[in-house]
Amino acid sequence: IKPITITRGNDQIPLSSDYNSRKETSVIRNYGTLLIELCKTVPDGIVCFFPSYRFLEDVIHEWDQMGIISEILLHKLLFIESKEVEQTTMSLKFFRKACDCGRGALFLAIARGKVAEGIDFNDHYGRCVVLFGVPFQYTKCRILMARLEFLKENFGIKESDFLIFDAMRSAAQCLGRVVRGKNDYGMMILADNRFKKSDKRDKLPTWIRKCFDSGVYDLSVDVGLSIVRDYFREMGKEYTIDRTMYYSEDQLIRPPPKGEDSELKQEIKAVSYTHLRAHETGRNLVCRLLLEKK
């Protein structure tokens, strides 16, 4: 995976979905510019997540007025998550068909929605995931307010700490939709200037944080797109894995010298497998066996 943080447009205006910025024309236009260029660059499927249905509806309306939707449709088909389950299911079906036939497709979804919590975009269905904003909960909800009060009174947890942790958990859930197997790969784009702050970024899971390269926490749209192009150009190249090697969780280990095989075999005992989890990190293939104790 290749996670990056895009915090500003080509005009250097900060990107954010917070209440004071989400209705600014320049912010919506820069989000649209980013998405158009991604549709030109990224093969197959792209999945985008918005913090709320209201924000998604407002953005789509503005994009349509600006002609951004028409330009997106020149490169990929567009599908949108709906509050109706049947409509969303139908949209997902045709999204996959568009990816299977090579046309390519873009799916706009909601963080904490049905798609974010239960749908996998494995392989070519999800080569890039974009988070348009930080998925905070609606803080005026009475249930949430009661929960925050309970946590503060009984455990001394600040409201801001819980809200940030919960938002990053939801963000990780969205980002994880695109990497679902050992041979899978994809871009992860966090498009909000608040993601560059360590109090939010450090609460992402370790498997995402460790894949951040230095210098990718505060990028403009054009610089971020150049990284995207280089990434997919690199992933398009052929590569081979040395099958004579076997792997541990932490590092690659070459087969032991001759004569040590017998000692190694004596240490190996039968185990029962619950499941195998594998992922690629750079050029190294790391496999983790989660074993069930006998």
Side-chain angles (χ1 to χ4, degrees):
I1 61 173
K2 183 77 170 180
I4 61 174
T5 302
I6 295 180
T7 61
R8 59 191 187 278
N10 294 333
D11 53 7
Q12 304 305 309
I13 293 178
L15 298 177
S16 180
S17 67
D18 63 24
Y19 185 78
N20 296 323
S21 304
R22 63 173 53 187
K23 293 186 178 180
E24 292 185 10
T25 303
S26 57
V27 173
I28 296 176
R29 183 180 62 252
N30 282 327
Y31 274 148
T33 301
L34 170 62
L35 195 53
I36 289 171
E37 295 301 320
L38 287 175
C39 289
K40 293 179 181 179
T41 306
V42 178
D44 301 316
I46 301 176
V47 188
C48 302
F49 290 97
F50 291 77
S52 65
Y53 282 105
R54 180 62 183 273
F55 183 46
L56 173 61
E57 292 169 357
D58 292 342
V59 168
I60 290 176
H61 175 74
E62 292 296 328
W63 282 352
D64 187 47
Q65 297 293 321
M66 297 175 183
I68 291 174
I69 297 294
S70 300
E71 194 163 351
I72 288 174
L73 291 173
L74 295 176
H75 307 283
K76 293 187 185 296
L77 298 182
L78 176 61
F79 300 91
I80 303 172
E81 180 180 1
S82 170
K83 294 180 181 180
E84 300 294 331
V85 176
E86 293 181 357
Q87 293 181 7
T88 299
T89 302
M90 189 64 67
S91 296
L92 287 167
K93 176 182 177 181
F94 287 108
F95 170 83
R96 290 191 171 94
K97 283 188 175 182
C99 293
D100 290 337
C101 72
R103 176 67 171 82
L106 169 67
F107 199 96
L108 306 183
I110 306 299
R112 305 176 192 277
K114 175 189 175 185
V115 173
E117 294 183 354
I119 305 298
D120 293 339
F121 294 89
N122 57 299
D123 300 326
H124 63 293
Y125 298 129
R127 288 304 179 206
C128 178
V129 59
V130 186
L131 271 177
F132 287 118
V134 182
F136 284 109
Q137 292 193 56
Y138 178 59
T139 55
K140 299 300 181 181
C141 173
R142 287 184 294 178
I143 297 176
L144 177 61
M145 292 174 66
R147 181 181 297 172
L148 293 174
E149 184 178 355
F150 174 82
L151 292 173
K152 184 176 181 180
E153 291 179 356
N154 293 274
F155 300 98
I157 299 176
K158 297 180 181 179
E159 293 182 2
S160 59
D161 292 340
F162 175 81
L163 290 173
I164 292 174
F165 171 80
D166 182 70
M168 293 303 101
R169 180 175 57 183
S170 178
Q173 188 177 47
C174 295
L175 296 173
R177 295 299 94 194
V178 300
V179 181
R180 312 305 297 178
K182 66 177 183 179
N183 295 321
D184 212 350
Y185 64 92
M187 284 290 307
M188 296 179 176
I189 299 177
L190 292 80
D192 194 299
N193 68 338
R194 291 173 289 179
F195 281 118
K196 69 181 180 181
K197 298 180 180 178
S198 60
D199 66 327
K200 297 177 178 63
R201 190 177 64 248
D202 291 346
K203 290 181 174 61
L204 289 171
T206 305
W207 66 273
I208 295 178
R209 291 201 314 269
K210 69 180 182 180
C211 293
F212 273 99
D213 295 330
S214 59
V216 298
Y217 301 120
D218 188 11
L219 304 176
S220 61
V221 170
D222 54 349
V223 175
L225 289 169
S226 67
I227 294 175
V228 174
R229 296 187 187 99
D230 292 341
Y231 173 76
F232 283 104
R233 191 178 297 116
E234 180 67 21
M235 295 306 298
K237 297 178 181 178
E238 293 185 0
Y239 69 96
T240 57
I241 297 176
D242 185 359
R243 298 297 180 182
T244 64
M245 304 174 70
Y246 64 93
Y247 309 91
S248 70
E249 180 178 351
D250 300 323
Q251 61 183 351
L252 294 171
I253 304 176
R254 292 195 172 276
K258 292 182 179 180
E260 297 183 11
D261 286 346
S262 58
E263 296 180 4
L264 180 63
K265 290 177 181 178
Q266 291 176 359
E267 297 176 0
I268 298 176
K269 298 180 180 179
V271 293
S272 60
Y273 301 95
T274 54
H275 62 279
L276 170 65
R277 181 183 300 164
H279 63 274
E280 288 182 0
T281 305
R283 294 185 177 275
N284 298 334
L285 179 65
V286 181
C287 296
R288 176 181 298 128
L289 289 175
L290 300 182
L291 305 178
E292 183 182 57
K293 290 185 179 179
K294 282 194 170 184

